[in-house]
Amino acid sequence: MSTTITPLGVGTRYRRVVVLTGAGVSVASGLPTYRGPGGLWETAEIAQIVQAESIPSRLPELWALYSERRRVALSVGPNSAHIALANVSPEFLTLITQNIDNLHQRAGSENVLELHGSGFRTRCTICALSPFDDETVYDDMPHCPNCGAPLRPDVVLFGELLDQNVIRAAKRALSQCDLFLAIGTSGVVWPAAGLVVEAHYAGARCLYVNVEPSEDPNPYFHEEIIGPAEEVLPVLLTA
Ligand code: BJW
Ligand code: ZN
């Protein structure tokens, strides 16, 4: 750890905490980030598939990608960063994640606000069939039992709108938070990147926690805490 880390006082000094997580919290579980060396998007091809325009024409490729990601995510488990967050009482914490890997939930976190959907939920591309939990690793593109149209992973691709109920719940928590932590995220994807602004104007102390300092620090953060989430969070969040 490159900075001295001490407990923040969650549950005592801070009682309305909002945490936003990104791919960096799952690295210690063995999952890759999106950007940077070894990231999912090292091949430009994948970055092109996770776009709204891929539906419906590139759905078979999208399913190949997400089936493989399901298989990999199911083969790993939550790490000490997920567990430290799950150990904080929901009375004091709202957990917002950009991750679709279900690891916060598998660590025991409840009511996780999934900004970018879930890789473990499937929905129809056409009809109002309720999105359903789904761990199936498909060999071929699945079709809707209701209307026969292709199904899709319930994730938010570039150019798609986020679930307005999730956004509303996140904004409600941010409007009254006293501590905001963004952990393991590059902070380049919107609207997630703008959540710190809301926390800042609510008067919260805003911390950026990452394994490396940001190249272009966002002025709405008051401090950066540099270190791996799996080492830093168990200390920061100690009661
Ligand atoms: C560690 C670590 C360790 C490593 N410990 N740390 C306003 C301005 C500009 C653009 C836009 C805007 N509003 C909308 C846009 C367009 C677009 C956007 O943001 N583009 C930017 C890239 C420029 N946004 C959208 O399209 C969003 N929709 C939307 O806004 O709708 C309205 C609208 C539509 C059209 C036009 C305008 C408005 C939707 C965004 C959906 C993002 N979806 C993805 C894929 C989800 C499914 C999947 O998983 O495949 O979500 S993209 C991808 O990036 C994924 C992630 O959740 C997201 C964020 O990535 P994250 O988590 O930050 O990962 P990395 O890899 O970037 O960073 C990891 C970090 O961890 C690094 O910093 C490491 O150092 C660190 N790390 N190990 C701690 N051990
Ligand atoms: Zn259907």
Side-chain angles (χ1 to χ4, degrees):
M1 257 183 250
S2 42
T3 10
T4 306
I5 315 291
T6 53
L8 292 167
V10 170
T12 50
R13 183 172 175 196
Y14 300 104
R15 298 170 68 87
R16 288 168 283 122
V17 180
V18 176
V19 168
L20 169 69
T21 63
V25 299
S26 297
V27 165
S29 294
L31 299 184
T33 58
Y34 292 87
R35 301 163 183 86
L40 276 170
W41 294 355
E42 248 182 348
T43 61
E45 182 66 10
I46 294 185
Q48 281 173 15
I49 297 174
V50 294
Q51 307 282 338
E53 301 79 50
S54 293
I55 294 178
S57 60
R58 301 187 75 175
L59 259 172
E61 291 163 273
L62 207 64
W63 268 115
L65 176 69
Y66 283 102
S67 276
E68 174 60 11
R69 287 182 61 193
R70 275 184 189 174
R71 190 189 62 72
V72 174
L74 285 170
S75 73
V76 304
N79 65 62
S80 51
H82 301 107
I83 292 166
L85 286 162
N87 285 341
V88 178
S89 165
E91 187 188 348
F92 305 124
L93 174 69
T94 300
L95 179 54
I96 307 172
T97 190
Q98 298 168 87
N99 299 343
I100 62 160
D101 57 27
N102 217 27
L103 289 179
H104 286 303
Q105 290 88 340
R106 284 171 59 196
S109 287
E110 291 172 10
N111 304 320
V112 181
L113 297 176
E114 294 177 309
L115 278 185
H116 295 160
S118 172
F120 289 92
R121 237 179 6 246
T122 297
R123 65 181 163 99
C124 184
T125 51
I126 301 286
C127 80
L129 175 83
S130 293
F132 58 94
D133 293 341
D134 190 6
E135 292 192 349
T136 313
V137 175
Y138 295 103
D139 290 329
D140 298 307
M141 183 169 71
H143 289 81
C144 176
N146 197 29
C147 74
L151 293 171
R152 60 166 288 178
D154 194 14
V155 299
V156 183
L157 304 174
F158 277 119
E160 292 189 316
L161 290 178
L162 280 65
D163 183 323
Q164 291 309 296
N165 291 326
V166 173
I167 284 284
R168 250 194 305 278
K171 291 194 172 201
R172 200 178 312 123
L174 287 161
S175 70
Q176 41 202 350
C177 74
D178 55 12
L179 177 66
F180 175 77
L181 307 177
I183 306 169
T185 175
S186 55
V188 297
V189 174
W190 291 77
L195 299 185
V196 63
V197 180
E198 314 224 2
H200 186 103
Y201 286 120
R205 181 179 173 199
C206 298
L207 306 181
Y208 180 79
V209 181
N210 206 290
V211 75
E212 58 188 2
S214 56
E215 282 169 21
D216 183 17
N218 179 330
Y220 290 98
F221 286 105
H222 299 105
E223 293 159 61
E224 290 197 353
I225 296 180
I226 306 306
E230 63 277 13
E231 291 181 25
V232 169
L233 286 189
V235 181
L236 281 184
L237 300 179
T238 297

